Amino acid sequence: MSTITRLGTANMYDSTLRNINGRQSDLANIAEKNAAGKRVLRPSDDPVAAAQAERAITRMARTDADQRALDAQRGVIEYAGSTLKASMDALQEFRGLLLGAGNGAYEQSSRDALVTQMTSLRDQLLTYANRKDSNGLPLFRGLDSSEQPIQGYNFAGQPGQTASSDNSIANTIDGAAAWMNVPTGNGVLAVSIGAGNTGKAWADVGVITDPAAATALTAPVDIAFSKDASGNLQYSLDGGATFTSYKSGDAINVAGMKLTVTGEPAVGDKFTVKPSERTTLFNILDQAIAAVRSGAKANGSTDTGALTHAVTRGVAEIDAGLNRLSSAQSLTGDLLNRADRVEEGLALRKDRLEGERSSAEDIDLIAGQSEQQMRQLGLQAALQSYASIQKLSLFNFIN
């Protein structure tokens, strides 16, 4: 038995209207997406793609934060580098003044003028060492675990402080290494002049000829001068009974080091050789200034031996300090190069994340425009069909 289904005109009207409304909604939706350039405007459009896009956006925000932090770190290191450059210039000037102070033609009044300049440069260097960044933190914070005070300021240790990472660089230079760790003498052994010397002799910093013997020295060794029965100068090592005739400029071998004593030592004068120690650059400058300030004897004449010895040793130790500052400045250059590489990596990461976000939520404008046109044509066809259906009534048929 067949079933006859009767469809009224009203049902056809309702169905057509629903079709038209749906097509209008779809057209409006695709038009909105094309205008925004996005395939996913709300999570309901594609939950999975929306989640992927959100993750990419979050990671890009973190990358932007890393970039801002890197920019701040770069600024600090650039400031530290320029400060080290200014410090090296000031130290070079101090070195030149110290060499000038050793000029035998100078009187103490002339050396006093040099002392004023040297003191000013020393104060400048202390200011550079204590300089702070825009956040009020010292540029040269110590990275070790100890505190090393200089002139009322501490290079406070930074336990657990990280250095450069994949997305950042260190935001400080090790001040302890730059300013607080300068070797005395030639770096292995140091020669000091006897406090009671009255002659006109001085020693150089020496040249290491036997590293094993030099590093094995643990106790000071004295080079003491006296005269033999004929009145000729001689010296002995550490109060020994073996005496060697002395001639100005001849090398003296002691503790694996070739040492040259120049000038005319007096009987009882001595020089002491001992292991090199670590001191601060500021102690070296203070000792040099003190030596120049007290470069005259009680009678007003120049204390040639003590002054020349202090100048020779001071210049050698200042050169060691310059090497320390130069190494620190080289580190700033390395950190800035690293910052460039990190920045390049952050840019590549951001480009990749932007690609992931775009792939998840952006629309293909060509395909979107094509779909919009197709939906427009579909809507027009539906409207035309509805207009035709409106004419399908019995009264229109009778007419």
Side-chain angles (χ1 to χ4, degrees), residues 347-368:
L348 291 174
R349 175 187 298 177
K350 188 171 183 180
D351 289 343
R352 177 176 57 80
L353 291 172
E354 177 60 26
E356 292 179 2
R357 183 209 61 76
S358 177
S359 177
E361 69 175 6
D362 286 353
I363 194 171
D364 185 342
L365 291 178
I366 296 177

Side-chain angles (χ1 to χ4, degrees), residues 188-189 208-218 255-257:
V188 180
L189 298 176
I208 302 299
T209 56
D210 186 350
T215 55
L217 182 67
T218 56
M257 179 175 70

Side-chain angles (χ1 to χ4, degrees), residues 123-184:
D123 292 342
Q124 288 181 36
L125 285 164
L126 182 61
T127 300
Y128 292 146
N130 293 341
R131 181 170 281 180
K132 297 181 179 180
D133 61 20
S134 58
N135 295 318
L137 296 175
L139 291 175
F140 305 104
R141 301 194 293 278
L143 301 184
D144 52 7
S145 59
S146 62
E147 291 188 356
Q148 304 187 52
I150 59 162
Q151 305 299 319
Y153 172 77
N154 289 339
F155 281 123
Q158 306 283 310
Q161 177 174 334
T162 59
S164 301
S165 66
D166 290 342
N167 299 328
S168 65
I169 60 174
N171 61 350
T172 182
I173 298 298
D174 190 348
W179 303 94
M180 310 291 290
N181 197 27
V182 183
T184 59

Side-chain angles (χ1 to χ4, degrees), residues 330-347:
S330 297
L331 178 59
T332 64
D334 179 68
L335 289 174
L336 292 175
N337 290 336
R338 183 183 181 91
D340 291 339
R341 294 190 294 270
V342 170
E343 186 174 26
E344 182 179 354
L346 291 175

